């Protein structure tokens, strides 16, 4: 049974930094494209960043380019999201996602096979 477990969410002030992690269980992690999505109440879930099975290929939403960095450690079955210069509009529940194969998950969310339960990131002004 595949499970994705996020961690690292915490309250942070605007301008601060935070590092999220997502560990995969019951899966051959290296075979999955991975992504981070976020959602706030009343809004649709939006893609934040994705990374393909070829770890050198990453993609970001325009709103986080230059501030967030997605990375993966396949040996540890773990996905990361380094978030810097956080803004109040970055507030949300952050979800980890996995799609089997080599895809841009931000462009192809229908290819996502598994979601994590989410980790909360409140950013105060």
């Amino acid at each position: 049974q595949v499970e994705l477990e996020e961690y690292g969410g915490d309250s942070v002030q605007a301008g601060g930094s935070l590092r999220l992690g997502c560990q995969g269980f019951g899966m051959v992690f290296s075979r999955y494209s991975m992504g981070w999505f976020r959602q706030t109440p009343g809004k649709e879930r939006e893609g934040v960043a994705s990374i393909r099975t070829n770890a050198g290929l990453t993609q970001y939403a325009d709103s986080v380019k230059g501030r967030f960095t997605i990375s993966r450690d396949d040996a540890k079955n773990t996905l990361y999201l380094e978030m810097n210069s956080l803004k109040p509009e970055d507030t949300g529940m952050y979800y980890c996602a996995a799609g089997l194969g080599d895809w841009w998950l931000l462009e192809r969310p229908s290819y996502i096979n598994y979601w994590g339960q989410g980790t909360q990131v409140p950013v105060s002004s």
Side-chain angles (χ1 to χ4, degrees):
Q1 181 178 353
V2 173
E3 289 187 9
L4 298 173
E5 187 173 304
E6 302 96 336
Y7 58 89
D10 200 358
S11 298
V12 62
Q13 287 193 328
S17 298
L18 205 58
R19 189 192 200 199
L20 304 182
C22 168
Q23 185 157 14
F25 299 92
M27 62 192 293
V28 182
F29 194 82
S30 61
R31 294 182 182 175
Y32 287 79
S33 295
M34 302 296 295
W36 288 99
F37 292 74
R38 67 187 180 190
Q39 189 169 22
T40 53
K43 293 186 179 180
E44 291 188 0
R45 190 175 296 186
E46 63 171 341
V48 174
S50 68
I51 186 166
R52 293 176 61 160
T53 53
N54 180 341
L57 299 178
T58 58
Q59 183 183 42
Y60 298 91
D62 288 343
S63 58
V64 306
K65 279 181 183 176
R67 300 188 298 120
F68 289 13
T69 302
I70 188 172
S71 61
R72 63 190 297 161
D73 185 338
D74 290 345
K76 295 182 178 179
N77 278 18
T78 303
L79 176 73
Y80 301 101
L81 185 68
E82 187 76 38
M83 304 186 293
N84 297 311
S85 302
L86 282 160
K87 304 175 181 180
E89 51 264 43
D90 294 317
T91 292
M93 183 74 83
Y94 281 70
Y95 297 92
C96 171
L100 184 63
D102 191 24
W103 316 107
W104 288 124
L105 293 187
L106 298 192
E107 295 175 1
R108 299 180 184 274
S110 61
Y111 284 29
I112 293 170
N113 302 111
Y114 303 103
W115 292 93
Q117 293 299 307
T119 186
Q120 193 73 252
V121 178
V123 182
S124 59
S125 57

